[in-house]
Amino acid sequence: MTAAQRINIGLSKVPAWPLYILGLIPPAWFLYQGLTGGLGAEPIKALEHKLGEFALQVLIVVLAVTPLRTWTGINLTKFRRALGLLTFFYVFLHLLVWLVLDVQILSQIWADIVKRPYITIGMVGFVLMIPLAVTSNNLSIRKLGPKTWRRLHQLTYVTAVLGAVHFVMVAKGFQFEPLIYLGIVLALVATRLKFPAKRAVA
Amino acid sequence: MAGRYKSDLKWSDVTPKRDYMNRRQLMAGAGALALGSIAGPAMASLGARKSNYGRGLELNTYEDITSYNNFYEFGTGKDDAKNNAGRLTTDPWSITVDGMVDKPGKYDLDDLTSGISLEERIYRFRCVEAWSMVVPWVGFELSDLLARVGVQSSAKYVAFETLVRPDEMIGQRRPVLDWPYREGLTLNEAMHPLTIMATGLYDEPIPNQNGAPIRLVVPWKYGFKSIKSIVRITLTDTRPPISWEMANPREYGFFSNVNPNVDHPRWSQATERKIGGGLFSKRVPTLMFNGYESEVAGLYAGMDLTKNF
């Protein structure tokens, strides 16, 4: 038995549902830190950035599930729905902090979404996640049919790229960190590209 | 010359630093509070003349002013400056003064500033990122220093440079900006009595993360204009390149005066958040020229501030 098979057998005993509860801990911890001084003198931006970055990190894990299975045989597919929904939840919280704690002013929120490209891109990324979150259940897979459902969920790639580009555009000066995120996301999306077969057979 | 600004308010009217003890430490409990008091720097008082410029402004805590800093020479995180600036050697320190001056040279900081009396200046500080503080700086007017080196009549601008020392300034190991950090003012801006060179805050020597041993403070401009840890001052007749404009001319201009009516391309400048208000702090309107309009608007008479941002 290969190592991957042993890992998969071990994982088969681990349920996915606790992720929904465990996933609440990081944002709760960030909020607690923000309320008690752990996020520094200006906790609003810090909380906003932590949530956004964490969402991107979890989204990268989501995107890594398929290549990991292809290349190593380790199968994390059953955890992917929970991680995807958590990503949506974190992005939603990130947006909420921006709306309620950061910008605060309703007229300015709309102006920002329309006028500021990095915010427009972030908003598009979030909006594209809504149908994915809504259809992240077995009933939707049955109703849409697996083929349509899979096509719809390929929007994840678009969302991930938009999220990473949004991060790059927020940075001041030349900074490596957001570019590293973008590089990882692009590499993971690239693993999905289907290259034409070596030779076209007539 | 110190003390050109006078008012009837005394330094004793300003709430002492310890009374502004950071509310985050209060929330963290009495233990942390005690620790905060003990851990506070036991520096000698600079004995700066207590001018009262900035009456009515609520000071930020020493903790806020010295822990939330943009000083990319030490990293891009707000706490990087506090965490990494400790290793910077600030003594000895010399400043090269060159260009259109009568007495160019490499001056030891103490020689350059000897005999210039220090003065307290309580100024609003508005970052281009739309946050703000109120800081009790200690320093002297830049014009005093310029008078000492003799500005020639051909000079129109003053250029400044920050130290480059990547083994101590670890943020300089990455090309976040084109080091050295560069700034500049028109000569009129530099000679304005509000423009100071700060060597202290809260009547103590200025901490490294705030730009030790000497920095510029131009209170009506966005904070990045107030260049830190200065090693070079050049008088010139051409507008000097400045770091943020070099990095992104669409977003940052040479003047960078605080102006609520001219947005940064990525965010509005109409409002700001005062540091220290916690997670639910409300935005407040940003003032034209950061509240110094009556003093400095004349410098820009007839100028289109939308174009000359």
Side-chain angles (χ1 to χ4, degrees):
Chain A
M1 194 161 47
T2 65
Q5 282 169 327
R6 273 197 296 276
I7 290 169
N8 288 340
I9 288 168
L11 287 172
S12 69
K13 292 168 193 138
V14 182
W17 64 263
L19 275 176
Y20 292 104
I21 297 156
L22 294 174
L24 301 180
I25 294 172
W29 169 240
F30 297 154
L31 184 65
Y32 171 79
Q33 282 187 303
L35 288 168
T36 54
L39 295 183
E42 209 288 73
I44 298 173
K45 280 280 180 203
L47 181 64
E48 187 179 302
H49 293 170
K50 272 198 172 290
L51 286 167
E53 196 167 345
F54 192 61
L56 199 51
Q57 287 162 353
V58 178
L59 188 51
I60 283 171
V61 174
V62 170
L63 287 178
V65 168
T66 296
L68 189 73
R69 191 182 55 210
T70 312
W71 295 335
T72 70
I74 296 169
N75 191 349
L76 298 175
T77 311
K78 77 168 173 185
F79 303 106
R80 192 165 59 180
R81 176 183 292 169
L83 292 172
L85 283 167
L86 284 172
T87 303
F88 176 74
F89 178 58
Y90 300 147
V91 173
F92 175 69
L93 290 179
H94 168 71
L95 179 63
L96 208 60
V97 170
W98 179 71
L99 294 173
V100 178
L101 299 181
D102 188 354
V103 183
Q104 298 173 359
I105 303 152
L106 205 64
S107 59
Q108 200 174 301
I109 289 168
W110 184 245
D112 275 355
I113 293 172
V114 180
K115 266 164 71 180
R116 326 272 177 211
Y118 85 96
I119 292 175
T120 315
I121 284 173
M123 274 310 292
V124 171
F126 171 74
V127 169
L128 291 181
M129 289 184 93
I130 296 173
L132 306 186
V134 169
T135 59
S136 283
N137 52 72
N138 293 340
L139 182 68
S140 295
I141 300 177
R142 275 200 301 277
K143 278 196 163 174
L144 291 168
K147 229 176 166 179
T148 313
W149 187 89
R150 204 169 296 134
R151 279 201 65 117
L152 175 68
H153 279 249
Q154 284 173 347
L155 276 178
T156 308
Y157 310 145
V158 182
T159 290
V161 173
L162 290 175
V165 169
H166 169 74
F167 188 26
V168 169
M169 292 175 77
V170 173
K172 278 174 70 192
F174 179 80
Q175 296 192 35
F176 286 115
E177 198 194 354
L179 293 172
I180 291 168
Y181 277 95
L182 180 61
I184 293 171
V185 166
L186 288 176
L188 287 169
V189 171
T191 63
R192 269 75 178 185
L193 296 175
K194 290 199 175 56
F195 295 101
K198 272 180 256 166
R199 177 182 274 212
V201 182
Chain B
M1 189 202 300
R4 259 170 282 191
Y5 282 94
K6 290 193 171 64
S7 84
D8 53 351
L9 206 68
K10 297 186 184 62
W11 180 245
S12 56
D13 295 326
V14 175
T15 309
K17 171 171 71 184
R18 297 303 174 216
D19 295 351
Y20 273 92
M21 187 51 73
N22 178 333
R23 59 184 66 104
R24 280 171 284 123
Q25 282 173 326
L26 286 171
M27 290 181 76
L33 187 69
L35 195 68
S37 320
I38 296 160
M43 302 268 201
S45 162
L46 291 172
R49 183 195 169 97
K50 309 300 184 195
S51 70
N52 301 296
Y53 201 73
R55 57 178 299 178
L57 296 177
E58 190 185 340
L59 293 176
N60 275 88
T61 62
Y62 184 86
E63 162 77 10
D64 282 349
I65 294 168
T66 59
S67 68
Y68 192 79
N69 308 100
N70 277 328
F71 199 171
Y72 282 12
E73 278 79 350
F74 296 103
T76 52
K78 293 285 185 287
D79 51 355
D80 285 344
K82 184 182 187 178
N83 295 335
N84 301 330
R87 66 181 86 184
L88 177 67
T89 313
T90 56
D91 188 19
W93 192 272
S94 56
I95 300 179
T96 300
V97 182
D98 57 7
M100 295 162 172
V101 291
D102 295 330
K103 288 174 268 182
K106 190 172 180 178
Y107 291 89
D108 185 79
L109 177 61
D110 294 336
D111 296 339
L112 194 63
T113 58
S114 70
I116 298 182
S117 57
L118 296 176
E119 180 186 352
E120 199 110 29
R121 287 283 177 95
I122 296 165
Y123 280 161
R124 294 181 198 86
F125 184 92
R126 169 61 156 81
C127 179
V128 72
E129 294 168 344
W131 54 264
S132 65
M133 294 194 192
V134 174
V135 184
W137 301 107
V138 172
F140 54 89
E141 291 177 14
L142 174 58
S143 61
D144 290 346
L145 188 152
L146 294 177
R148 188 163 278 204
V149 295
V151 177
Q152 296 177 350
S153 58
S154 50
K156 293 194 181 75
Y157 297 91
V158 188
F160 304 86
E161 278 181 25
T162 295
L163 178 72
V164 179
R165 195 182 283 162
D167 52 327
E168 291 183 356
M169 304 176 114
I170 59 172
Q172 290 178 337
R173 296 173 196 172
R174 289 182 173 193
V176 181
L177 290 167
D178 184 5
W179 314 114
Y181 191 80
R182 279 160 268 212
E183 259 308 333
L185 298 172
T186 66
L187 191 58
N188 284 340
E189 293 171 334
M191 298 301 284
H192 194 280
L194 281 179
T195 303
I196 61 166
M197 298 294 272
T199 55
L201 60 85
Y202 267 116
D203 208 26
E204 288 173 1
I206 196 165
N208 287 359
Q209 61 266 35
N210 295 88
I214 187 165
R215 68 170 293 169
L216 181 70
V217 177
V218 194
W220 71 92
K221 292 176 178 285
Y222 292 121
F224 70 86
K225 293 291 295 180
S226 294
I227 184 171
K228 295 170 170 175
S229 305
I230 295 166
V231 294
R232 187 183 208 101
I233 300 173
T234 307
L235 277 291
T236 165
D237 59 357
T238 49
R239 186 190 284 191
I242 67 162
S243 288
W244 279 107
E245 191 184 23
M246 288 160 68
N248 195 336
R250 201 177 69 90
E251 296 191 347
Y252 308 98
F254 176 80
F255 290 99
S256 287
N257 294 316
V258 176
N259 187 341
N261 309 314
V262 177
D263 283 354
H264 184 283
R266 285 186 281 161
W267 55 85
S268 164
Q269 295 290 27
T271 61
E272 67 199 49
R273 184 179 297 113
K274 293 186 181 227
I275 298 299
L279 204 50
F280 304 104
S281 111
K282 289 279 156 229
R283 282 179 176 269
V284 295
T286 288
L287 303 171
M288 187 65 199
F289 292 113
N290 204 24
Y292 302 97
E293 186 170 13
S294 61
E295 289 95 330
V296 302
L299 293 172
Y300 311 101
M303 196 183 273
D304 182 346
L305 297 175
T306 310
K307 286 195 181 105
N308 298 286
F309 58 88

PDB file of all heavy atoms in Angstrom, chain B residues 30-55:
ATOM      1  N   ALA B  30      -4.791  45.316  34.579  1.00  0.00           N
ATOM      2  CA  ALA B  30      -3.891  46.128  35.392  1.00  0.00           C
ATOM      3  C   ALA B  30      -2.446  45.673  35.266  1.00  0.00           C
ATOM      4  O   ALA B  30      -1.528  46.487  35.309  1.00  0.00           O
ATOM      5  CB  ALA B  30      -4.332  46.059  36.846  1.00  0.00           C
ATOM      6  N   GLY B  31      -2.246  44.412  35.096  1.00  0.00           N
ATOM      7  CA  GLY B  31      -0.882  43.879  34.968  1.00  0.00           C
ATOM      8  C   GLY B  31      -0.182  44.509  33.793  1.00  0.00           C
ATOM      9  O   GLY B  31       0.932  45.030  33.912  1.00  0.00           O
ATOM     10  N   ALA B  32      -0.868  44.501  32.654  1.00  0.00           N
ATOM     11  CA  ALA B  32      -0.290  45.074  31.444  1.00  0.00           C
ATOM     12  C   ALA B  32      -0.077  46.573  31.630  1.00  0.00           C
ATOM     13  O   ALA B  32       0.899  47.137  31.150  1.00  0.00           O
ATOM     14  CB  ALA B  32      -1.195  44.813  30.250  1.00  0.00           C
ATOM     15  N   LEU B  33      -0.986  47.206  32.337  1.00  0.00           N
ATOM     16  CA  LEU B  33      -0.886  48.647  32.571  1.00  0.00           C
ATOM     17  C   LEU B  33       0.400  48.940  33.334  1.00  0.00           C
ATOM     18  O   LEU B  33       1.177  49.820  32.963  1.00  0.00           O
ATOM     19  CB  LEU B  33      -2.103  49.117  33.369  1.00  0.00           C
ATOM     20  CG  LEU B  33      -2.228  50.629  33.551  1.00  0.00           C
ATOM     21  CD1 LEU B  33      -2.550  51.283  32.228  1.00  0.00           C
ATOM     22  CD2 LEU B  33      -3.300  50.953  34.576  1.00  0.00           C
ATOM     23  N   ALA B  34       0.622  48.183  34.398  1.00  0.00           N
ATOM     24  CA  ALA B  34       1.817  48.389  35.204  1.00  0.00           C
ATOM     25  C   ALA B  34       3.060  48.160  34.354  1.00  0.00           C
ATOM     26  O   ALA B  34       4.003  48.947  34.367  1.00  0.00           O
ATOM     27  CB  ALA B  34       1.810  47.442  36.392  1.00  0.00           C
ATOM     28  N   LEU B  35       3.016  47.116  33.573  1.00  0.00           N
ATOM     29  CA  LEU B  35       4.149  46.780  32.712  1.00  0.00           C
ATOM     30  C   LEU B  35       4.415  47.918  31.735  1.00  0.00           C
ATOM     31  O   LEU B  35       5.550  48.300  31.492  1.00  0.00           O
ATOM     32  CB  LEU B  35       3.837  45.485  31.953  1.00  0.00           C
ATOM     33  CG  LEU B  35       5.013  44.799  31.287  1.00  0.00           C
ATOM     34  CD1 LEU B  35       5.958  44.237  32.331  1.00  0.00           C
ATOM     35  CD2 LEU B  35       4.521  43.682  30.377  1.00  0.00           C
ATOM     36  N   GLY B  36       3.315  48.488  31.183  1.00  0.00           N
ATOM     37  CA  GLY B  36       3.451  49.590  30.235  1.00  0.00           C
ATOM     38  C   GLY B  36       4.166  50.773  30.848  1.00  0.00           C
ATOM     39  O   GLY B  36       5.007  51.395  30.216  1.00  0.00           O
ATOM     40  N   SER B  37       3.840  51.064  32.118  1.00  0.00           N
ATOM     41  CA  SER B  37       4.466  52.206  32.768  1.00  0.00           C
ATOM     42  C   SER B  37       5.942  51.948  33.008  1.00  0.00           C
ATOM     43  O   SER B  37       6.781  52.814  32.817  1.00  0.00           O
ATOM     44  CB  SER B  37       3.795  52.481  34.120  1.00  0.00           C
ATOM     45  OG  SER B  37       2.411  52.313  34.008  1.00  0.00           O
ATOM     46  N   ILE B  38       6.254  50.713  33.406  1.00  0.00           N
ATOM     47  CA  ILE B  38       7.648  50.388  33.691  1.00  0.00           C
ATOM     48  C   ILE B  38       8.460  50.351  32.399  1.00  0.00           C
ATOM     49  O   ILE B  38       9.572  50.855  32.329  1.00  0.00           O
ATOM     50  CB  ILE B  38       7.751  49.028  34.415  1.00  0.00           C
ATOM     51  CG1 ILE B  38       7.060  49.114  35.768  1.00  0.00           C
ATOM     52  CG2 ILE B  38       9.205  48.615  34.609  1.00  0.00           C
ATOM     53  CD1 ILE B  38       6.685  47.778  36.339  1.00  0.00           C
ATOM     54  N   ALA B  39       7.839  49.786  31.374  1.00  0.00           N
ATOM     55  CA  ALA B  39       8.567  49.590  30.133  1.00  0.00           C
ATOM     56  C   ALA B  39       8.751  50.883  29.339  1.00  0.00           C
ATOM     57  O   ALA B  39       9.509  50.925  28.397  1.00  0.00           O
ATOM     58  CB  ALA B  39       7.858  48.552  29.274  1.00  0.00           C
ATOM     59  N   GLY B  40       8.028  51.930  29.728  1.00  0.00           N
ATOM     60  CA  GLY B  40       8.154  53.192  29.004  1.00  0.00           C
ATOM     61  C   GLY B  40       9.591  53.680  29.057  1.00  0.00           C
ATOM     62  O   GLY B  40      10.287  53.458  30.046  1.00  0.00           O
ATOM     63  N   PRO B  41      10.061  54.326  27.996  1.00  0.00           N
ATOM     64  CA  PRO B  41      11.468  54.716  27.963  1.00  0.00           C
ATOM     65  C   PRO B  41      11.783  55.729  29.055  1.00  0.00           C
ATOM     66  O   PRO B  41      11.062  56.703  29.238  1.00  0.00           O
ATOM     67  CB  PRO B  41      11.635  55.331  26.570  1.00  0.00           C
ATOM     68  CG  PRO B  41      10.269  55.658  26.122  1.00  0.00           C
ATOM     69  CD  PRO B  41       9.326  54.736  26.809  1.00  0.00           C
ATOM     70  N   ALA B  42      12.852  55.473  29.750  1.00  0.00           N
ATOM     71  CA  ALA B  42      13.256  56.365  30.838  1.00  0.00           C
ATOM     72  C   ALA B  42      14.248  57.379  30.307  1.00  0.00           C
ATOM     73  O   ALA B  42      15.388  57.444  30.728  1.00  0.00           O
ATOM     74  CB  ALA B  42      13.860  55.558  31.975  1.00  0.00           C
ATOM     75  N   MET B  43      13.816  58.156  29.294  1.00  0.00           N
ATOM     76  CA  MET B  43      14.699  59.112  28.658  1.00  0.00           C
ATOM     77  C   MET B  43      14.721  60.416  29.452  1.00  0.00           C
ATOM     78  O   MET B  43      13.777  60.764  30.132  1.00  0.00           O
ATOM     79  CB  MET B  43      14.194  59.433  27.248  1.00  0.00           C
ATOM     80  CG  MET B  43      14.079  58.216  26.382  1.00  0.00           C
ATOM     81  SD  MET B  43      15.580  57.979  25.470  1.00  0.00           S
ATOM     82  CE  MET B  43      14.997  56.960  24.136  1.00  0.00           C
ATOM     83  N   ALA B  44      15.803  61.106  29.258  1.00  0.00           N
ATOM     84  CA  ALA B  44      15.888  62.425  29.874  1.00  0.00           C
ATOM     85  C   ALA B  44      14.988  63.388  29.117  1.00  0.00           C
ATOM     86  O   ALA B  44      14.840  63.283  27.908  1.00  0.00           O
ATOM     87  CB  ALA B  44      17.333  62.915  29.829  1.00  0.00           C
ATOM     88  N   SER B  45      14.395  64.300  29.847  1.00  0.00           N
ATOM     89  CA  SER B  45      13.591  65.319  29.196  1.00  0.00           C
ATOM     90  C   SER B  45      14.491  66.233  28.370  1.00  0.00           C
ATOM     91  O   SER B  45      15.607  66.539  28.764  1.00  0.00           O
ATOM     92  CB  SER B  45      12.869  66.132  30.269  1.00  0.00           C
ATOM     93  OG  SER B  45      12.439  67.343  29.717  1.00  0.00           O
ATOM     94  N   LEU B  46      13.986  66.616  27.207  1.00  0.00           N
ATOM     95  CA  LEU B  46      14.767  67.492  26.339  1.00  0.00           C
ATOM     96  C   LEU B  46      14.703  68.940  26.810  1.00  0.00           C
ATOM     97  O   LEU B  46      15.488  69.767  26.387  1.00  0.00           O
ATOM     98  CB  LEU B  46      14.257  67.403  24.900  1.00  0.00           C
ATOM     99  CG  LEU B  46      14.516  66.093  24.176  1.00  0.00           C
ATOM    100  CD1 LEU B  46      13.787  66.079  22.854  1.00  0.00           C
ATOM    101  CD2 LEU B  46      15.996  65.865  23.963  1.00  0.00           C
ATOM    102  N   GLY B  47      13.734  69.207  27.664  1.00  0.00           N
ATOM    103  CA  GLY B  47      13.582  70.562  28.168  1.00  0.00           C
ATOM    104  C   GLY B  47      13.227  71.560  27.091  1.00  0.00           C
ATOM    105  O   GLY B  47      13.640  72.719  27.128  1.00  0.00           O
ATOM    106  N   ALA B  48      12.452  71.099  26.115  1.00  0.00           N
ATOM    107  CA  ALA B  48      12.085  71.990  25.017  1.00  0.00           C
ATOM    108  C   ALA B  48      11.163  73.095  25.516  1.00  0.00           C
ATOM    109  O   ALA B  48      10.372  72.897  26.428  1.00  0.00           O
ATOM    110  CB  ALA B  48      11.380  71.194  23.929  1.00  0.00           C
ATOM    111  N   ARG B  49      11.304  74.236  24.894  1.00  0.00           N
ATOM    112  CA  ARG B  49      10.437  75.353  25.221  1.00  0.00           C
ATOM    113  C   ARG B  49       8.991  74.952  24.926  1.00  0.00           C
ATOM    114  O   ARG B  49       8.688  74.432  23.848  1.00  0.00           O
ATOM    115  CB  ARG B  49      10.845  76.539  24.337  1.00  0.00           C
ATOM    116  CG  ARG B  49      10.106  77.816  24.592  1.00  0.00           C
ATOM    117  CD  ARG B  49      10.345  78.754  23.415  1.00  0.00           C
ATOM    118  NE  ARG B  49       9.433  79.882  23.502  1.00  0.00           N
ATOM    119  CZ  ARG B  49       9.764  81.054  24.019  1.00  0.00           C
ATOM    120  NH1 ARG B  49      10.986  81.254  24.454  1.00  0.00           N
ATOM    121  NH2 ARG B  49       8.882  82.041  24.085  1.00  0.00           N
ATOM    122  N   LYS B  50       8.115  75.220  25.896  1.00  0.00           N
ATOM    123  CA  LYS B  50       6.750  74.727  25.779  1.00  0.00           C
ATOM    124  C   LYS B  50       5.865  75.693  25.014  1.00  0.00           C
ATOM    125  O   LYS B  50       5.081  76.408  25.614  1.00  0.00           O
ATOM    126  CB  LYS B  50       6.151  74.462  27.163  1.00  0.00           C
ATOM    127  CG  LYS B  50       7.009  73.598  28.060  1.00  0.00           C
ATOM    128  CD  LYS B  50       7.245  72.244  27.449  1.00  0.00           C
ATOM    129  CE  LYS B  50       8.029  71.361  28.408  1.00  0.00           C
ATOM    130  NZ  LYS B  50       8.588  70.177  27.753  1.00  0.00           N
ATOM    131  N   SER B  51       6.029  75.771  23.755  1.00  0.00           N
ATOM    132  CA  SER B  51       5.118  76.596  22.980  1.00  0.00           C
ATOM    133  C   SER B  51       3.780  75.888  22.938  1.00  0.00           C
ATOM    134  O   SER B  51       3.687  74.708  23.245  1.00  0.00           O
ATOM    135  CB  SER B  51       5.645  76.798  21.570  1.00  0.00           C
ATOM    136  OG  SER B  51       5.566  75.595  20.867  1.00  0.00           O
ATOM    137  N   ASN B  52       2.769  76.597  22.576  1.00  0.00           N
ATOM    138  CA  ASN B  52       1.444  76.014  22.712  1.00  0.00           C
ATOM    139  C   ASN B  52       0.716  75.898  21.394  1.00  0.00           C
ATOM    140  O   ASN B  52      -0.495  75.906  21.334  1.00  0.00           O
ATOM    141  CB  ASN B  52       0.642  76.837  23.703  1.00  0.00           C
ATOM    142  CG  ASN B  52       1.344  76.862  25.034  1.00  0.00           C
ATOM    143  OD1 ASN B  52       1.497  75.819  25.673  1.00  0.00           O
ATOM    144  ND2 ASN B  52       1.834  78.019  25.430  1.00  0.00           N
ATOM    145  N   TYR B  53       1.478  75.789  20.356  1.00  0.00           N
ATOM    146  CA  TYR B  53       0.853  75.634  19.064  1.00  0.00           C
ATOM    147  C   TYR B  53       0.106  74.318  19.028  1.00  0.00           C
ATOM    148  O   TYR B  53       0.665  73.285  19.359  1.00  0.00           O
ATOM    149  CB  TYR B  53       1.914  75.687  17.959  1.00  0.00           C
ATOM    150  CG  TYR B  53       1.292  76.024  16.646  1.00  0.00           C
ATOM    151  CD1 TYR B  53       0.855  77.310  16.410  1.00  0.00           C
ATOM    152  CD2 TYR B  53       1.087  75.053  15.693  1.00  0.00           C
ATOM    153  CE1 TYR B  53       0.235  77.623  15.227  1.00  0.00           C
ATOM    154  CE2 TYR B  53       0.474  75.359  14.512  1.00  0.00           C
ATOM    155  CZ  TYR B  53       0.048  76.645  14.280  1.00  0.00           C
ATOM    156  OH  TYR B  53      -0.580  76.950  13.115  1.00  0.00           O
ATOM    157  N   GLY B  54      -1.123  74.344  18.618  1.00  0.00           N
ATOM    158  CA  GLY B  54      -1.914  73.121  18.575  1.00  0.00           C
ATOM    159  C   GLY B  54      -2.834  72.988  19.763  1.00  0.00           C
ATOM    160  O   GLY B  54      -3.236  71.891  20.126  1.00  0.00           O
ATOM    161  N   ARG B  55      -3.169  74.092  20.370  1.00  0.00           N
ATOM    162  CA  ARG B  55      -4.066  74.050  21.523  1.00  0.00           C
ATOM    163  C   ARG B  55      -5.401  73.431  21.104  1.00  0.00           C
ATOM    164  O   ARG B  55      -5.865  73.583  19.979  1.00  0.00           O
ATOM    165  CB  ARG B  55      -4.298  75.448  22.081  1.00  0.00           C
ATOM    166  CG  ARG B  55      -4.853  76.432  21.069  1.00  0.00           C
ATOM    167  CD  ARG B  55      -5.114  77.775  21.688  1.00  0.00           C
ATOM    168  NE  ARG B  55      -6.096  77.679  22.748  1.00  0.00           N
ATOM    169  CZ  ARG B  55      -6.480  78.702  23.495  1.00  0.00           C
ATOM    170  NH1 ARG B  55      -5.962  79.877  23.323  1.00  0.00           N
ATOM    171  NH2 ARG B  55      -7.393  78.541  24.419  1.00  0.00           N
TER     172      ARG B  55
END
